[in-house]
């Protein structure tokens, strides 16, 4: 005599697949939300907290966010794009002495502090030590707990359904 137990696991598998799809889609959405939270904090740091003087707004406007799916990972990246001085502001460093020369004219032209214009066929700039004025790392540290809580809440809601 044998006892045979049968269970249709196809419904369980379908439910698990639906949850996996919901988690993937929802994680991408939550990652975009997290990147938006970070973007606002980074821009606030650039404007106010870091001590940077916003002149043209190039650094401020270069903050880009990107979310990609890489295998089983959802990856969020945020930071400045194509701004050569972004890293030295974040980490500090020394700019070596260098010579600048005009590219499209016969002379360099700039306005001195007294409003007088100065001209030069070339100019030697001394080395400069740039102090760190971080704007990325403080934003991440400030918003990390909020972002963790949002992801935890999201996962809890998906698993409860």
């Amino acid at each position: 005599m044998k006892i045979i137990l049968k269970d249709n696991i196809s419904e369980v598998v379908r439910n698990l697949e639906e949850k996996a799809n919901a988690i993937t889609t929802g994680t991408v959405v939550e990652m975009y939300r997290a990147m938006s939270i970070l973007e606002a904090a980074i821009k606030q740091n650039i404007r106010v907290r870091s001590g940077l003087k916003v002149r043209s707004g190039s650094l401020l406007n270069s903050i880009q966010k990107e979310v990609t799916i890489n295998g089983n990972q959802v990856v969020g990246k945020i930071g400045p794009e194509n701004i050569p001085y972004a890293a030295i502001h974040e980490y500090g460093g020394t700019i070596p002495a260098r010579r600048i020369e005009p590219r499209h004219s016969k002379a360099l032209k700039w306005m001195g502090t007294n409003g007088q214009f100065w001209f030069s066929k070339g100019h030697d700039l001394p080395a400069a030590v740039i102090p760190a004025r971080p704007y990325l790392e403080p934003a991440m540290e400030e918003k990390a707990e909020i972002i963790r809580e949002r992801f935890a809440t999201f996962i809890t809601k998906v698993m409860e359904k």
Side-chain angles (χ1 to χ4, degrees), residues 33-46:
R33 289 179 180 155
M35 294 294 104
S36 294
I37 290 169
L38 285 173
E39 180 181 28
I42 290 166
K43 288 182 175 184
Q44 179 67 12
N45 286 348
I46 291 170

Side-chain angles (χ1 to χ4, degrees), residues 70-105:
N70 186 3
N72 291 331
Q73 295 181 330
V74 176
V75 179
K77 296 179 184 178
I78 188 165
E81 291 285 328
N82 301 321
I83 301 293
Y85 54 84
I88 201 155
H89 283 309
E90 178 74 16
Y91 305 111
T94 301
I95 299 173
R98 65 208 179 278
R99 179 161 181 83
I100 58 172
E101 295 180 353
R103 291 185 191 162
H104 305 290
S105 62

Side-chain angles (χ1 to χ4, degrees), residues 51-137:
L52 292 170
K53 295 179 182 175
V54 178
R55 291 185 182 147
S56 68
S58 295
L59 178 61
L60 192 65
N61 295 326
S62 76
I63 303 301
Q64 300 291 315
K65 57 186 179 235
E66 175 186 1
V67 177
T68 57
I69 299 174
N70 186 3
N72 291 331
Q73 295 181 330
V74 176
V75 179
K77 296 179 184 178
I78 188 165
E81 291 285 328
N82 301 321
I83 301 293
Y85 54 84
I88 201 155
H89 283 309
E90 178 74 16
Y91 305 111
T94 301
I95 299 173
R98 65 208 179 278
R99 179 161 181 83
I100 58 172
E101 295 180 353
R103 291 185 191 162
H104 305 290
S105 62
K106 293 182 179 182
L108 298 170
K109 176 183 175 183
W110 69 95
M111 184 184 295
T113 56
N114 61 359
Q116 179 182 2
F117 283 103
W118 293 84
F119 297 91
S120 172
K121 289 192 177 200
H123 191 73
D124 293 317
L125 296 175
V129 176
I130 306 295
R133 295 182 195 102
Y135 53 93
L136 293 171
E137 190 69 30

